[in-house]
Amino acid sequence: FSRVHSTIGSFTGLQWLPEEHVDGGYILSNLVRREPKRNIRVWMSDGLNDIEVDSNGRQDLYVAGSWPLNNIQMANALKTRGYDFHFRYGVATHSSAQGSMDLPESLSWLWRGYDPEKTDENYEQEEVERSKPIFRVQIANRDAW
């Protein structure tokens, strides 16, 4: 495959089974940073209201990690490695609403420049994205010190 469409990506420790030497999705952003760059184009979207469960919520989700933070970490890994990617970060929850709203734009973006006569295509990060800083997190629900 050469194009990836990810909405509310579960780059968390959901399937993490250390006793069986099985890594969870949280390792993927680190693999993007460490492994050789692949020739793919990636559209990601997530929202600040995605799953962030406290200790009173479902224990299996609480221990898995933060969906918003892990999506930001994946976007930063793609950015720093020079991938052709787009990250839409809105206010969405863990539902298909934002991904559905973005679908026409995301498919147009992923398939831009497609030529059925070509047998291959080289994906490079756009200059507009290259000139932007990496994503940063701002704590909005705590009192400032």
Side-chain angles (χ1 to χ4, degrees):
F1 63 89
S2 61
R3 293 169 180 87
V4 176
H5 185 264
S6 171
T7 59
I8 58 175
S10 296
F11 306 115
T12 62
L14 273 179
Q15 300 280 331
W16 184 34
L17 305 168
E19 65 281 356
E20 298 176 28
H21 305 287
V22 176
D23 291 319
Y26 70 92
I27 196 170
L28 294 174
S29 60
N30 291 307
L31 288 175
V32 167
R33 290 178 186 266
R34 295 176 61 125
E35 298 290 322
K37 184 181 170 200
R38 297 166 193 246
N39 188 36
I40 59 174
R41 179 177 284 165
V42 181
W43 174 283
M44 295 174 54
S45 72
D46 194 29
L48 65 92
N49 291 306
D50 198 351
I51 296 175
E52 184 71 74
V53 184
D54 65 17
S55 60
N56 297 316
R58 283 181 43 194
Q59 189 62 23
D60 60 328
L61 295 179
Y62 174 61
V63 298
S66 166
W67 272 250
L69 287 176
N70 283 296
N71 273 271
I72 291 169
Q73 186 165 318
M74 177 60 81
N76 279 338
L78 293 168
K79 175 158 180 67
T80 59
R81 288 302 310 259
Y83 277 88
D84 186 13
F85 84 102
H86 179 85
F87 182 40
R88 167 82 36 89
Y89 190 70
V91 295
T93 62
H94 197 77
S95 74
S96 61
Q98 184 170 310
S100 297
M101 179 184 74
D102 291 346
L103 191 61
E105 181 185 358
S106 64
L107 292 177
S108 294
W109 186 87
L110 282 167
W111 289 91
R112 74 189 189 280
Y114 175 72
D115 181 354
E117 300 296 319
K118 287 178 156 178
T119 57
D120 65 337
E121 189 171 353
N122 189 27
Y123 302 111
E124 296 293 331
Q125 192 172 89
E126 296 176 308
E127 179 55 39
V128 172
E129 179 58 47
R130 236 185 339 266
S131 67
K132 293 179 182 177
I134 62 172
F135 296 92
R136 293 293 185 193
V137 178
Q138 178 179 358
I139 298 175
N141 63 348
R142 298 279 185 223
D143 295 330
W145 291 82

